[in-house]
Amino acid sequence: MCVRYDGVEVDETYCDALTRPEPTHEFCAGRDCQPRWETSRWSECSRTCGEGYQYRTVRCWKMLAPGFDSSVYDDLCESAGLARPMERKACKNKACGPQWELSEWSECSARCGTQGTMKREVRCSVEAPLCDESRKPSSEKACSGPPCDRRWTASDWGPCSGACGEGRMSRFVACRNLEGKVISDTQCDPAAKPLAVHPCGDKNCPAHWVEQEWDQCDASCGRGMKTRVILCAGLENGVYREYPEKRCEASQKPEEQAACFKRPCSTWFTTSWSQCSKTCGAGVRLREVKCYQGEALAQGCDPASKPEARQTCQLQPCPTEAPEEDCEDKATANCVLVLKVKLCSHWYYRKACCRSCRLKSP
């Protein structure tokens, strides 16, 4: 300002304009700034039809020092008694039309070291003609059998259960991988499976039928068949020996096949995954999971094998700057000073004085 000798301000024309100093400024610390919640825009609905969810990022921010605004731990906002804004809200689009529903892939049909196929059921959520046939997912795909590192293992023989002809010793025979984990018998060579039941008793034991343990049911659900090996065998001087079947034909051969039944054939079906709920960072995507028995919805599916209905999705990292907002100057920012001292290059003031900085830029 222009002042006379006694310090009273007078009109600027009394002072020499050429000697006027440039305005100066310096930062000063006021009271500690309160934290605040900042939110991003809501994402698109996670489902393009039916009911879904919208998500947004909620972060706690605080001005830590002049010109240094930063995200901080959420408990800083929570301890200040600030109610956390919603991060998720329901959204609803038009009802879902016909869509393809898929069961899980079956096990690979190939034995170790060979090629085979995996299959799944593909069904329309409504009447089949209403689904777009050109977009129907495949129901079969090629697959390779497991590595040939499976082997049969057998426990020690148990005690003899009686006299020859009726006496049996048994042991536990399992198919295992290299780590020693018991896996499905179908993964090992059936021709090389060791005997699980053995005749025992007197030193000499004439030929008679010896039934092995039943194999697993060949159906994963509903009705199937199970089989077992029946051998004509005996003992000579206490040593096990197999004989041609005609040596045992004096007695009726036990059944080699029998019907078996597992839980009702209810199958899990899923729709395709929705889009990721966020455009950056970690979000979620959803799909419908339904249990069908034939054509009807059912409750009989195995809960342990239920497919996931929710899955995280990781996209490119979100920017670390404050969330985008409408381009308006904040009332608390001295945007006139910001323009004067050319602080628009700083990201915080570029946000706080968005409108002023944008108008100023060429």
Side-chain angles (χ1 to χ4, degrees), residues 36 38-40 59 61 69 71 319-325 330 347-348 351:
R36 67 195 187 280
E38 295 271 12
T39 59
S40 67
R59 288 187 289 180
W61 284 75
D69 198 31
S71 60
T320 55
E321 296 186 359
E324 284 289 338
E325 293 175 350
K330 287 189 174 181
W347 71 263
Y348 172 72
K351 296 279 185 186

Side-chain angles (χ1 to χ4, degrees), residues 223-239:
R223 293 196 173 278
M225 293 296 291
K226 59 182 181 180
T227 58
R228 62 180 176 179
V229 174
I230 308 294
L231 299 169
C232 180
L235 299 175
E236 284 188 10
N237 295 320
V239 177

Side-chain angles (χ1 to χ4, degrees), residues 227-281:
T227 58
R228 62 180 176 179
V229 174
I230 308 294
L231 299 169
C232 180
L235 299 175
E236 284 188 10
N237 295 320
V239 177
Y240 171 80
R241 183 174 173 186
E242 288 184 28
Y243 301 100
E245 288 198 356
K246 62 182 179 182
R247 291 278 296 271
C248 294
E249 284 175 353
S251 60
Q252 188 175 355
K253 186 177 182 180
E255 292 292 332
E256 294 178 276
Q257 281 192 326
C260 53
F261 182 83
K262 289 204 168 183
R263 57 181 176 78
C265 283
S266 300
T267 309
W268 291 113
F269 281 83
T270 61
T271 58
S272 301
W273 286 108
S274 69
Q275 289 183 323
C276 194
S277 63
K278 295 186 181 177
T279 54
C280 68

Side-chain angles (χ1 to χ4, degrees), residues 328-333 335 347-355:
E328 292 292 338
D329 291 349
K330 287 189 174 181
T332 53
C335 295
W347 71 263
Y348 172 72
Y349 292 108
R350 190 167 66 249
K351 296 279 185 186
C353 300
C354 173
R355 186 174 179 79

